[in-house]
Amino acid sequence: MTQFDNVSVTKQANVYFDGKCVSHSIVLEDGTKKSVGVILPSTLLFTTGAPEVMELLAGACRVRLAGSEEWTEYTGGQSFQVPGDSSFDIETTETLHYVCHFG
């Protein structure tokens, strides 16, 4: 899928980590929530409330889930899952375009 149809988009951007991560929240017609954004080259720690699936559209990164010592590399076209009430470290080596699927 290359686009979302019939969505509500929050006009105000979500800006995190001094602008290193910028996204917009969207709500699909069925109430499903997602965010669409970019992460600039950096190393960041994200926390989660709900479970997340990070769908990577373009770019490259490596990820370390909470409780793990191992980093896993990902590129555009791949995705990874993060449990709810958890965290993950992400190191982006080039600008990462993503969709975060919540729940």
Side-chain angles (χ1 to χ4, degrees), residues 4 21-22 26 46 61 98:
F4 294 109
C21 178
V22 179
I26 64 172
F46 284 89
C61 67
Y98 70 88

Side-chain angles (χ1 to χ4, degrees), residues 1-17:
M1 172 187 315
T2 59
Q3 70 181 37
F4 294 109
D5 295 320
N6 302 315
V7 300
S8 174
V9 178
T10 303
K11 293 193 293 186
Q12 181 68 40
N14 306 306
V15 180
Y16 303 102
F17 305 106

